[in-house]
Amino acid sequence: MQGIINTAKELIDRYNIGESIKIMEVCGSHTMAISKYGLRQILPPNIKLISGPGCPVCVTAQNEIDASISLASQGVTIATFGDLVRVPGNNSSLQEERAKGRNVRVFYSPLDALDYAIANPSKEVVFIGIGFETTIPSVALTIKEAYTKKIKNYSVYCLHKTMPKALEALVVNGSDIQGFLLPGHVAAITGSTIYNFLVDKYKIGGVVSGFEASDILMSVVMILKNLRDPKIEIQYKRVVKEEGNTDAQSLIEEVFEESDAEWRGLGMIEGSGLKIREKYSEYDAEKKFNIKKPNSSTEIKGCRCGDVLKGIITPKQCPLFGKACTPLNPVGPCMVSSEGSCAAYYKYGE
Ligand code: SF4
């Protein structure tokens, strides 16, 4: 491993043109790995790795959090991934609702939530569907199975988001990013060609990267090497194919269709989310429970998560970082989530 890292460092020095270069690591798992291995400190000072909007819990809009909390108070069983329960809403959190006796359950897989619904037919179970293309196929599978087996007490509150339009929104809104470290797990499903627009329209390259220190450093080398002739390339070839996983893509396509989505910090982005197709509408919790999101998201007072997610500031530039906001007492989702930038910077002392 050390040999690969040394080679990567030599190559980075060879291709380093000395200009200030900003590379965005889009994915929360990359942020964690970069902090864990201390990679920001290894790079020359002119090459900056900045965090992006790839943490699913962090980008879930505040009004979506509030609507989920409100749903818990209606007597349904909320099924969700662990980190989401700790995200503060404007007046409560799912964790606080659970302490008040509401039925809020954490599952590692959406299929476990469906199994729970099947085993408890008297309970209405709503799975809070957050996440990107990595988790979307498994949620689609639960909806398809519930439909096939005629399960009537399971539905999904679909808050899923998709990555390309969010990256485009960042670029269009004037970020000075010169390259993207693209999420390996997302690309395992989507393939890499969905990012070609970054080169074709904006002349910005990117590399689909793995998650080991050597993967990330080699991806940085590839970005630097192609700065003058940007490309979309795959470093994580042991997992990602250019065309992605076509079975998973078909499953997503069958159950969901494109819709607009609201992102924390980035606002409403056209075509950056999914909604459940009409065929499966009885599994759409938004329709089933007539969920009304508050019209606009009021951000948590003092929390700069939105700016962290856009790469405008680093977590340490938030005045609350490490003071009022710590993993034990998180103020915002970027400190709650195990993929959040603030949590990564705090945990590894960056
Ligand atoms: Fe929000 Fe806390 Fe991060 Fe500041 S340190 S941006 S308050 S999560």
Side-chain angles (χ1 to χ4, degrees), residues 92-160:
S92 179
S93 68
L94 286 169
Q95 186 169 255
E96 284 170 30
E97 293 303 307
R98 183 166 58 189
K100 286 183 211 161
R102 316 285 191 213
N103 202 354
V104 176
R105 291 185 167 260
V106 170
F107 293 95
Y108 290 104
S109 153
L111 287 164
D112 293 341
L114 177 61
D115 286 344
Y116 178 83
I118 292 170
N120 295 274
S122 62
K123 291 183 174 155
E124 274 293 344
V125 178
V126 176
F127 185 77
I128 310 292
I130 62 163
F132 303 111
E133 291 90 338
T134 326
T135 44
I136 293 167
S138 58
V139 177
L141 191 60
T142 65
I143 293 174
K144 219 178 144 184
E145 271 209 35
Y147 178 87
T148 307
K149 294 179 178 168
K150 299 188 171 35
I151 308 298
K152 300 295 179 194
N153 64 323
Y154 175 80
S155 56
V156 172
Y157 183 26
C158 181
L159 303 176
H160 290 298

Side-chain angles (χ1 to χ4, degrees), residues 239-302:
V239 172
V240 177
K241 289 186 279 186
E242 200 175 283
E243 70 277 16
N245 180 331
T246 50
D247 290 340
Q249 289 164 20
S250 302
L251 182 59
I252 295 172
E253 181 65 23
E254 183 183 339
V255 175
F256 296 106
E257 61 186 308
E258 188 179 289
S259 78
D260 302 341
E262 188 172 351
W263 298 58
R264 185 185 298 270
L266 282 74
M268 188 63 81
I269 304 174
E270 200 180 319
S272 69
L274 295 175
K275 64 179 180 184
I276 296 169
R277 285 189 186 277
E278 193 56 35
K279 175 180 174 185
Y280 297 104
S281 62
E282 63 183 302
Y283 300 97
D284 186 343
E286 196 161 352
K287 291 181 178 159
K288 191 171 184 179
F289 297 99
N290 195 23
I291 299 172
K292 297 276 180 243
K293 285 186 267 192
N295 276 340
S296 65
S297 283
T298 323
E299 295 298 331
I300 302 164
K301 199 163 178 268

Side-chain angles (χ1 to χ4, degrees), residues 201-275:
K201 283 173 80 175
Y202 304 105
K203 305 278 175 270
I204 301 174
V207 174
V208 176
S209 176
F211 297 88
E212 299 298 328
S214 51
D215 290 325
I216 294 168
L217 288 175
M218 289 314 293
S219 299
V220 170
V221 170
M222 291 162 79
I223 290 172
L224 294 177
K225 194 175 169 191
N226 294 324
L227 266 184
R228 298 285 181 242
D229 180 20
K231 297 177 174 60
I232 299 297
E233 294 188 305
I234 302 171
Q235 180 277 333
Y236 199 27
K237 284 191 174 156
R238 59 193 187 273
V239 172
V240 177
K241 289 186 279 186
E242 200 175 283
E243 70 277 16
N245 180 331
T246 50
D247 290 340
Q249 289 164 20
S250 302
L251 182 59
I252 295 172
E253 181 65 23
E254 183 183 339
V255 175
F256 296 106
E257 61 186 308
E258 188 179 289
S259 78
D260 302 341
E262 188 172 351
W263 298 58
R264 185 185 298 270
L266 282 74
M268 188 63 81
I269 304 174
E270 200 180 319
S272 69
L274 295 175
K275 64 179 180 184

Side-chain angles (χ1 to χ4, degrees), residues 302-305 308 318 320-321 325 331-332 334-335 342:
C303 175
R304 304 270 316 266
C305 262
V308 171
C318 169
L320 305 188
F321 179 86
C325 183
V331 173
C334 300
M335 188 62 92
C342 300

Side-chain angles (χ1 to χ4, degrees), residues 36-94:
K36 179 178 168 187
Y37 297 121
L39 300 186
R40 282 181 231 281
Q41 290 79 356
I42 289 178
L43 294 175
N46 66 310
I47 300 173
K48 301 271 183 246
L49 289 176
I50 55 168
S51 306
C55 156
V57 170
C58 309
V59 295
T60 302
Q62 195 62 26
N63 60 358
E64 295 172 339
I65 300 283
D66 286 333
S68 305
I69 292 166
S70 158
L71 191 58
S73 66
Q74 290 179 35
V76 303
T77 297
I78 299 291
T80 182
F81 296 127
D83 287 346
L84 199 71
V85 299
R86 295 180 63 223
V87 177
N90 275 316
N91 299 308
S92 179
S93 68
L94 286 169

